[in-house]
Amino acid sequence: MRDTRSRLLILITPPALLLIMFFVLPMLNMATFSFRQGAFGEERHMWTLAHYREFLRNTAFQRLLGRSIAMAFETSLYCIILAYPLAYFLIFRAGERRVALLTLVLVPAWTSFLLRILAWKLILSSEGLLSGLLQAVGLLAEPKPVLLYSRAAVVVALTYSWLPFVALPIFAALERIDPHLLEAAADLGCPPWRAFLRVTLPLSLPGVVAGFFFVFIPTLGEWVTPALVGGVDGIMYGNIIQDQFVRGLNWPMGALMSLVMLLAMLVLLGLLVWLLKALHVELGDLIG
Amino acid sequence: MSGFSVELRELTKVFGTSHGPGNEVVAVRDVNLGIHPGEFFTLLGPSGCGKTTTLRLIGGFEMPTRGEIFIEGEPMSHVPPYRRPVNIVFQNYALFPHLTVAQNVAFGPTIKGVPRAERERRVQEALALVRLPNIGNRKPSQLSGGQQQRVALARALINEPAVLLLDEPLGALDLKLRKQMQSELKHLQQQVGITFIYVTHDQEEALTMSDRIAVMNEGQVLQVGDPVTIYERPSCRFVADFIGETNFLRAQVVGKERDRICLCVAGERVWAGATEEPLREGQEVTLAIRPEKIDLLSAAQANGAALTGVVREVVYLGTDTRFVVILPSGETVVARLQNIGGHGLGEFAAGDRVKLLWAAEDARPLTG
């Protein structure tokens, strides 16, 4: 009895220590920082709620958070819309070539993230691929950047970057579906589209949700992509957090804004999980 | 109208491969079958014999390369599965893991738009039919293999199909449960009166459950008949060998009488039952005789037309004893004697010379 307990303790200590040192403590540090007057000197030891008041007063911060949530949501949605048919094709139509083709989808993700975003910057620039194409078909009179430095450019670049990470969990979820289930659905009277709605879609939903999380979470805090292709229009919440730390040197405000983002994320994802659970029960009656 | 529930005419299925022509596999070859309404019909054969492909062709999951399928007189070859009046029970049951038992069973009626109240009533009935009430709210993963099997049956039967297709439905169950389900399935079939087409590689299962059996090998149907005919009068060596145990001996036709044939086996004269096809004198045939039809007597006791051999091996099997006897020709014959009243067990030992006797009608000369 004591033996198993001590063994459990030995097993659990290293990961627990790791979590405490690199997750719990930094989080607590960040939370405490949000109450400090400033980051340096005397101000470091003065406690205040001023930053909270400032955050609540500053509607620009709130609007930007709302906009970033919308952009993260859109990016995740576009990723799913593009990745689902891709994964579906690989599983149900590509046959023996499915793994080779999936690898091709993943290969771009092996290069640097920064490199891929910079590539998009080139594609969208005035001398870029898109501008050239539009000129060739006569839709553009002279070399001009297309979409560059806009909200849309950020969403396009992010959707491109995250696509493989959504395709992968959907691919895995679809691969796990027993082909006999689709035959059973057909046998019980389902034409292909109803079998898709009643069997394939609900069974692949865990992969879709996983893909959504993979994109939504990092995209909400994204600041590199908007900094490179977003311009003034494409700015995201992550950019002003970065500003607080690097330019404004207002660390307590940056800490507070990070905390707010974390909270918003938890609430949104919790809501999504709850919604899916509630929906799942009646899903069959809602569709097809 | 043919009057058949299911009729297959020259049904052929060739599977191509992605490696180009020349690699085609003929899974089903020119199969002709007529299955009567309300019949328990079994497709029996070793794995890869085409029985499952035949079933899948009837279900509509495969399209035939040639030939036609009629279900209740209607040509069905190009009708998709969701418009055929048949339902299937898969070997792995294929229950929908995201739905409860009740939702699984209600799947067919739901798709057909049966109103909720009626649907629920029919689900109750179907679950009661397979003797599984009160588990409607569980998920398939919470059920045992035997329960999943019954749910799969209920999910198919609730649609009141003209024909129920069963693809080795008992294959995944343990022996005891399988025996119990065999008799339950048979009773269920008699109760609902639906035509059952049953695929199995288990010859005992086929013999105990079926009204008629089609024995298949290499995509072809070798013999169709009721269990007694299949077992007692196999049409060819494959059928005799696949169903039960059979001794095969090289034989030559010596002469004929009214209802029996005289053969020469290992230099001795023996009798066999007459065949439908005429045999000429001097023709080479294979004599098929089942181990339980052979009686042994000590060589000194018997006289008359019988083979003589030497016992090589004695194996006690509980109800029977199994003797392996070597003939002067080097061929071996297996005989099984029931352990009754001192006959059989202990009567002969390895090395004893014995005579092998049988009733003429129990031995069959086979030409194929």
Side-chain angles (χ1 to χ4, degrees):
Chain A
M1 189 63 202
R2 184 193 282 174
D3 203 39
T4 48
R5 191 179 296 176
S6 59
R7 211 179 312 164
L8 192 70
L9 215 66
I10 291 167
L11 276 174
I12 214 164
T13 305
L17 276 178
L18 208 73
L19 261 179
I20 290 170
M21 277 179 60
F22 295 103
F23 183 73
V24 179
L25 287 180
M27 279 290 168
L28 286 174
N29 189 23
M30 200 169 74
T32 17
F33 236 104
S34 68
F35 295 104
R36 295 185 202 275
Q37 177 85 49
F40 312 102
E42 300 245 315
E43 289 190 326
R44 198 183 157 89
H45 304 292
M46 292 158 70
W47 303 95
T48 176
L49 287 173
H51 305 299
Y52 282 79
R53 278 196 292 274
E54 167 63 13
F55 186 87
L56 290 175
R57 222 179 7 245
N58 194 332
T59 52
F61 288 171
Q62 294 158 28
R63 272 206 312 276
L64 210 53
L65 179 60
R67 223 173 83 119
S68 292
I69 290 172
M71 285 168 79
F73 192 80
E74 272 174 53
T75 304
S76 314
L77 202 67
Y78 295 149
C79 278
I80 290 168
I81 290 173
L82 291 172
Y84 200 102
L86 177 75
Y88 189 91
F89 168 82
L90 289 178
I91 293 292
F92 292 106
R93 296 282 180 273
E96 293 167 11
R97 292 166 300 163
R98 58 162 73 157
V99 174
L101 290 172
L102 180 73
T103 310
L104 281 183
V105 172
L106 296 178
V107 162
W110 297 349
T111 63
S112 151
F113 175 75
L114 217 56
L115 210 64
R116 276 174 284 143
I117 301 301
L118 284 170
W120 270 103
K121 194 168 172 166
L122 285 174
I123 291 170
L124 302 177
S125 73
S126 56
E127 305 300 323
L129 186 70
L130 215 54
S131 170
L133 268 175
L134 289 176
Q135 284 174 70
V137 297
L139 283 172
L140 212 62
E142 55 195 33
K144 224 169 86 177
V146 185
L147 292 181
L148 195 56
Y149 304 125
S150 71
R151 185 181 186 278
V154 177
V155 173
V156 166
L158 283 174
T159 302
Y160 168 78
S161 301
W162 289 113
L163 191 63
F165 298 92
V166 185
L168 207 58
I170 297 178
F171 179 92
L174 287 173
E175 198 179 30
R176 274 198 302 273
I177 297 178
D178 176 4
H180 280 128
L181 292 179
L182 298 175
E183 292 186 347
D187 181 67
L188 294 165
C190 282
W193 65 274
R194 290 188 88 174
F196 173 78
L197 288 178
R198 287 206 168 251
V199 179
T200 313
L201 189 62
L203 285 176
S204 60
L205 219 50
V208 174
V209 171
F212 183 88
F213 283 4
F214 279 170
V215 182
F216 187 84
I217 294 170
T219 302
L220 187 55
E222 176 65 59
W223 61 274
V224 177
T225 309
L228 287 173
V229 298
V232 184
D233 281 346
I235 197 168
M236 288 182 78
Y237 190 72
N239 296 96
I240 55 168
I241 295 181
Q242 194 228 358
D243 276 352
Q244 301 301 327
F245 281 101
V246 178
R247 291 201 199 144
L249 294 181
N250 190 350
W251 290 16
M253 194 59 181
L256 169 60
M257 291 173 71
S258 302
L259 278 179
V260 171
M261 191 180 83
L262 195 71
L263 199 72
M265 182 111 66
L266 287 176
V267 169
L268 282 169
L269 296 186
L271 216 65
L272 185 71
V273 169
W274 173 81
L275 191 74
L276 279 172
K277 269 192 181 148
L279 207 65
H280 200 61
V281 179
E282 296 299 320
L283 202 63
D285 294 328
L286 288 175
I287 54 176
Chain B
M1 283 297 290
S2 54
F4 288 122
S5 180
V6 175
E7 192 186 356
L8 312 179
R9 281 192 209 152
E10 280 157 34
L11 193 64
T12 299
K13 175 68 183 176
V14 181
F15 285 109
T17 58
S18 53
H19 308 298
N23 277 304
E24 280 108 8
V25 177
V26 183
V28 175
R29 190 192 300 266
D30 294 322
V31 166
N32 291 291
L33 280 176
I35 298 160
H36 305 297
E39 193 173 26
F40 197 121
F41 192 91
T42 298
L43 297 169
L44 175 66
S47 62
C49 73
K51 58 190 191 297
T52 294
T53 305
T54 305
L55 196 77
R56 289 174 59 79
L57 284 162
I58 299 171
F61 307 112
E62 307 286 354
M63 291 293 132
T65 310
R66 273 197 311 279
E68 187 55 88
I69 299 165
F70 296 89
I71 300 175
E72 303 205 299
E74 299 287 324
M76 283 282 159
S77 289
H78 300 286
V79 175
Y82 50 90
R83 288 207 209 99
R84 293 194 188 197
V86 301
N87 283 108
I88 187 164
V89 175
F90 289 99
Q91 183 172 15
N92 69 353
Y93 318 135
L95 297 176
F96 302 117
H98 58 300
L99 302 179
T100 64
V101 167
Q103 286 169 330
N104 262 284
V105 177
F107 198 91
T110 308
I111 295 301
K112 286 177 190 87
V114 174
R116 197 186 197 104
E118 151 127 32
R119 202 162 74 206
E120 277 168 9
R121 185 183 57 75
R122 277 169 64 183
V123 168
Q124 294 302 324
E125 276 177 16
L127 285 174
L129 188 69
V130 296
R131 303 205 286 119
L132 266 189
N134 311 324
I135 61 150
N137 292 325
R138 288 201 227 157
K139 285 285 177 73
S141 57
Q142 294 168 290
L143 305 181
S144 69
Q147 288 173 319
Q148 290 184 28
Q149 151 83 106
R150 286 155 197 258
V151 174
L153 261 173
R155 185 179 68 176
L157 287 171
I158 196 172
N159 306 295
E160 294 166 356
V163 182
L164 186 70
L165 310 173
L166 302 105
D167 185 8
E168 307 223 13
L170 308 182
L173 304 180
D174 62 65
L175 186 67
K176 203 172 168 191
L177 197 54
R178 194 154 73 223
K179 297 269 178 219
Q180 185 195 333
M181 281 306 291
Q182 282 174 13
S183 79
E184 262 188 53
L185 259 181
K186 181 71 185 165
H187 285 134
L188 191 67
Q189 191 261 340
Q190 284 161 346
Q191 192 181 339
V192 295
I194 293 172
T195 310
F196 275 34
I197 303 181
Y198 192 95
V199 160
T200 185
H201 65 269
D202 183 333
Q203 35 115 354
E204 194 187 324
E205 200 165 281
L207 291 173
T208 53
M209 295 168 82
S210 320
D211 294 321
R212 280 195 305 153
I213 299 169
V215 183
M216 293 185 72
N217 191 39
E218 294 179 343
Q220 286 174 302
V221 171
L222 300 178
Q223 188 176 6
V224 183
D226 61 84
V228 175
T229 307
I230 295 282
Y231 189 83
E232 302 290 343
R233 291 190 297 282
S235 64
C236 62
R237 186 177 174 136
F238 180 86
V239 175
D241 197 26
F242 187 72
I243 295 157
E245 195 181 8
T246 304
N247 295 298
F248 296 104
L249 299 169
R250 286 193 309 274
Q252 202 171 23
V253 178
V254 175
K256 277 181 265 188
E257 277 184 19
R258 219 177 323 113
D259 54 351
R260 57 181 196 168
I261 291 164
C262 188
L263 299 168
C264 177
V265 175
E268 311 233 22
R269 294 192 168 210
V270 293
W271 293 100
T275 51
E276 293 81 37
E277 54 186 317
L279 298 172
R280 13 175 208 89
E281 223 166 277
Q283 189 177 347
E284 299 280 343
V285 293
T286 302
L287 179 67
I289 174 118
R290 301 214 179 257
E292 74 274 14
K293 311 279 192 192
I294 300 176
D295 196 12
L296 297 183
L297 285 175
S298 74
Q301 263 178 312
N303 46 29
L307 295 181
T308 311
V310 177
V311 175
R312 194 181 65 186
E313 201 182 314
V314 181
V315 183
Y316 174 65
L317 298 172
T319 56
D320 318 333
T321 305
R322 184 185 149 97
F323 298 89
V324 181
V325 178
I326 301 201
L327 301 181
S329 61
E331 292 170 290
T332 60
V333 178
V334 175
R336 281 173 82 141
L337 300 187
Q338 274 197 296
N339 296 323
I340 303 169
H343 188 46
L345 183 63
E347 201 181 347
F348 309 104
D352 286 359
R353 281 179 64 77
V354 289
K355 290 239 176 206
L356 298 99
L357 298 137
W358 59 78
E361 67 267 25
D362 286 337
R364 265 180 83 77
L366 299 173
T367 49

